[in-house]
Amino acid sequence: MVHFCSKIIHKGTLYDIYSIGGVYIMGQIIVGIADMKVGSGSDELVTYALGSCVGVCMYDETVQAGGMLHAMLPKSGMHTELANSYKYVDTGIIQLYRLLCRRGAGIGRIKAKIIGGARMFGFGISATSAMAADIGTLNIRETKKYLLKLGVPITAEMTGGSTGRTVYFIACTGEVTIRTTENQRFVI
């Protein structure tokens, strides 16, 4: 039987600790909004409440390492001094790619799965506000553009729609499990 025991912070990363038959194991690495984390081995990275935001899961099975970005907006624009580069798709993807490469991931071996980009705020708005309301589509477009620039293939995606998603990502295999706000479960 698995029992949740506690939460710890180790080197700036929040972990859940579980007990299985009296043996303590590291659990989930929580990726917040406008956040990015990496893991290795059987680490499970989790992000909650992906709506119009985009989740980018990048991994290299050879070195059993992966990372997840939860970005809110497509472009950093004119922000020359970014307080948080993970808030934006364009800067966050580059940061995640560089960090995976520093951890031994190979150029040409890194793959990606993308999730999110839903249209959450499109109800009852004027035509002039339509572009701002469809930030999810812009996030997905920018994600695909930057992954292509980096030469990172997208092996699976679950994007668009109008539902929120929680994402569970296994760093070493690239397996992604998605739970929707309608209690549907998908594995990509």
Side-chain angles (χ1 to χ4, degrees):
M1 178 172 282
V2 177
H3 298 281
F4 174 76
C5 296
S6 66
K7 294 183 181 291
I8 64 165
I9 296 176
H10 176 67
K11 295 184 179 178
T13 300
L14 178 65
Y15 291 91
D16 290 337
I17 306 297
Y18 296 89
S19 170
I20 300 177
V23 176
Y24 292 91
I25 60 169
M26 294 295 260
Q28 298 175 333
I29 300 171
I30 308 301
V31 181
I33 298 170
D35 192 12
M36 185 266 294
K37 297 279 185 346
V38 296
S40 59
S42 61
D43 287 341
E44 181 181 55
L45 289 80
V46 181
T47 194
Y48 301 95
L50 270 180
S52 59
C53 295
V54 63
V56 181
C57 300
M58 295 170 72
Y59 61 100
D60 180 343
E61 293 169 297
T62 303
V63 295
Q64 296 191 352
M68 183 191 294
L69 169 69
H70 183 146
M72 295 173 61
L73 298 169
K75 295 182 182 184
S76 55
M78 303 307 284
H79 304 284
T80 56
E81 293 186 31
L82 296 174
N84 181 355
S85 62
Y86 307 138
K87 183 176 183 179
Y88 305 98
V89 169
D90 61 348
T91 53
I93 284 178
I94 291 169
Q95 294 295 322
L96 176 54
Y97 182 83
R98 287 179 179 163
L99 185 54
L100 286 175
C101 287
R102 282 197 302 268
R103 291 197 167 201
I107 296 171
R109 290 194 318 248
I110 299 173
K111 300 173 189 168
K113 295 182 179 181
I114 59 175
I115 304 94
R119 185 176 185 138
M120 303 299 289
F121 308 107
F123 305 104
I125 59 168
S126 68
T128 57
S129 301
M131 186 62 115
D134 199 11
I135 197 74
T137 299
L138 297 175
N139 281 336
I140 295 303
R141 186 179 304 144
E142 201 69 12
T143 297
K144 290 179 177 181
K145 177 176 135 184
Y146 273 86
L147 290 172
L148 180 65
K149 279 184 180 182
L150 293 169
V152 175
I154 299 169
T155 60
E157 70 177 279
M158 184 177 204
T159 57
S162 59
T163 187
R165 299 170 175 106
T166 294
V167 179
Y168 304 87
F169 170 59
I170 305 297
C172 64
T173 65
E175 180 179 282
V176 172
T177 302
I178 302 158
R179 292 207 182 266
T180 69
T181 51
E182 286 91 24
N183 283 326
Q184 295 175 309
R185 181 181 174 271
F186 302 93
V187 178
I188 62 170

